[in-house]
Structure formats: structure tokens, C-alpha cells
Amino acid sequence: MKLLNVFPKEEKFYELLEHLTQFSQTGVALLSRIIGLENPESSLPLLGNEISDLKAQAKRHYQELSTQLCNSFITPFDREDIIELAAILYKSVKLIEKIKNRIQFHQLQPHQQDFSKLFALVEQQATIIGPLVKQLNRYKLMEVRQEADRLHELEEQADETLEALIQQLCGTEVMPYQEAMVRKDIYEMLEQLTDTYRDLGNVAFQIILKHS
């Protein structure tokens, strides 16, 4: 028996949420290139500008979605759920820009692949959020739950990785104290990014569960 989709068809909200998701995924891809740079001085400014432009686009889409919520009588699900999803996605793009800014300002290069250890988990999450948001328009309860669970698992791995990286920093004697503190800040922001994607999964699952 085919399940009926109980959500009203307001495609503009799905489209805006999917665009915000794409901005976040693109930001992760650009940040991956920055983290992998062997010579940051050459390419980092250009990549950094792309991330800043991306954040500006995400802000416009977030504001457009907020305006549409105020002007629309019918929404596919509760207004507070829509705006919470949008806010989480916009927050992820802002975090990506903050990480970029910190790396760019201090001209940091990876130390024993430290950034990559956390960022690999972020990249895995970024591949999940696209299908996750699309499922909101398709009434895919089990799929959303599985994707939300996977985002949570990756966030837990990020917690463990963060702790290991901080312990590694504490045992590093050759690194200046200021640089060590900046690296610690970047580790924590990367872990916050995994928290953000986990939160996205939680909200998406709650939405589907509420309307099932």
C-alpha cells in the first residue's frame, strides 16, 4: 500500500532548504581544498573569497526563507521546524567561514594531518545531509532515521578525535604556545560543525516523526 504524503506541497520551502544544504556542502568542499594546501599563500585567498561569497548567498537564502514563512498561509510543516532547519544550515556555512578565516589569518599548515583527522568526519556528514533534506519531501521515515543516526555516530567519533588531538597538542614541545591555542580553537570549531550536522539530523527526524 502506498503511503500518502501528508505534507502540503509548498515546493519553494523545499527548494530553499535544498539550496542552503548545497551551500553547506560546497563550503565543505572548498574548506577541504584549503586544508589540503601545501602552499596556502598561493591559493588560499581565492578559495577564501569563494567561501565568503558562499556565506553571503546562504544569508540571502535564509532571509528569503524567513520572509516566505511570514507571507505564506500554508507551509509543508511547522514554521518553527522550517526556520530551525534553515538556521542550522546557515550556521554550518558561517562556521566554515570562521574556520577558513582562522586558518587564513594565521597561515597555518597541517601538523601531522591534524585538521584532516577531524575534517574527514565532517566530509562524511556532508555527503549525508543532501539526501537527508531531500527525504523531507518524500515521507521517508526509516531513511531519515538511518541518516540521522549516522550523523550522530560521526559526531561521537569527532568528540573522541577532538580529545585525542588536544592530548597530542599538550605533548608537543616544539610548537609555540600561541599556535597550539589557535589549532585547538580550529579543532573545536570543526567539532562544532559535526555537532551542527548532528542537530540537523535530529530536527529532520523529529519533523518526519511528528507527521508520521
Side-chain angles (χ1 to χ4, degrees):
M1 179 178 177
K2 185 177 180 180
L3 291 172
L4 294 176
N5 192 338
V6 296
F7 297 154
K9 288 293 184 180
E10 281 291 322
E11 297 298 334
K12 59 190 174 188
F13 293 110
Y14 295 119
E15 290 172 0
L16 286 167
L17 286 172
E18 288 186 17
H19 285 154
L20 283 168
T21 304
Q22 290 166 6
F23 292 141
S24 187
Q25 291 176 308
T26 302
V28 168
L30 290 169
L31 191 56
S32 176
R33 293 173 63 187
I34 288 174
I35 287 175
L37 286 175
E38 294 183 0
N39 184 17
E41 293 81 6
S42 61
S43 303
L44 200 154
L46 180 60
L47 293 171
N49 289 338
E50 290 187 50
I51 289 178
S52 295
D53 290 343
L54 200 67
K55 202 260 296 211
Q57 293 181 63
K59 182 177 181 179
R60 288 194 294 270
H61 277 69
Y62 176 71
Q63 291 172 335
E64 171 65 15
L65 188 144
S66 299
T67 300
Q68 293 288 349
L69 283 176
C70 294
N71 296 334
S72 298
F73 179 71
I74 297 176
T75 59
F77 36 90
D78 294 344
R79 283 174 169 80
E80 60 268 27
D81 291 332
I82 295 174
I83 200 65
E84 186 173 5
L85 279 176
I88 289 171
L89 287 165
Y90 179 43
K91 178 183 177 181
S92 71
V93 181
K94 291 197 295 182
L95 263 174
I96 289 167
E97 187 188 40
K98 285 182 180 180
I99 295 165
K100 177 270 298 183
N101 287 343
R102 196 65 58 89
I103 293 174
Q104 184 174 18
F105 181 79
H106 294 279
Q107 298 184 346
L108 291 179
Q109 292 180 308
H111 175 71
Q112 298 179 358
Q113 302 300 311
D114 55 350
F115 299 146
S116 298
K117 291 175 182 177
L118 269 170
F119 196 70
L121 301 171
V122 172
E123 288 182 302
Q124 290 182 63
Q125 287 183 314
T127 65
I128 295 171
I129 63 171
L132 177 74
V133 171
K134 286 182 182 295
Q135 303 303 344
L136 293 174
N137 197 15
R138 298 172 186 169
Y139 197 67
K140 299 290 187 178
L141 177 61
M142 294 308 298
E143 286 84 347
V144 168
R145 183 185 130 182
Q146 290 170 359
E147 288 156 352
D149 286 347
R150 182 58 181 150
L151 289 171
H152 197 282
E153 290 170 3
L154 290 165
E155 186 275 331
E156 289 182 335
Q157 292 179 39
D159 287 343
E160 296 172 359
T161 304
L162 173 63
E163 184 176 349
L165 285 170
I166 291 176
Q167 290 178 353
Q168 177 180 304
L169 271 183
C170 293
T172 302
E173 298 179 356
V174 296
M175 185 181 298
Y177 177 79
Q178 183 178 4
E179 179 181 342
M181 291 301 98
V182 172
R183 288 184 182 277
K184 178 177 177 291
D185 286 346
I186 293 173
Y187 301 162
E188 290 174 346
M189 284 190 285
L190 285 168
E191 196 277 330
Q192 287 173 25
L193 190 51
T194 68
D195 290 344
T196 302
Y197 289 140
R198 175 209 57 200
D199 293 343
L200 180 70
N202 289 342
V203 174
F205 179 58
Q206 289 169 14
I207 289 170
I208 294 291
L209 196 59
K210 188 187 302 184
H211 292 274
S212 61

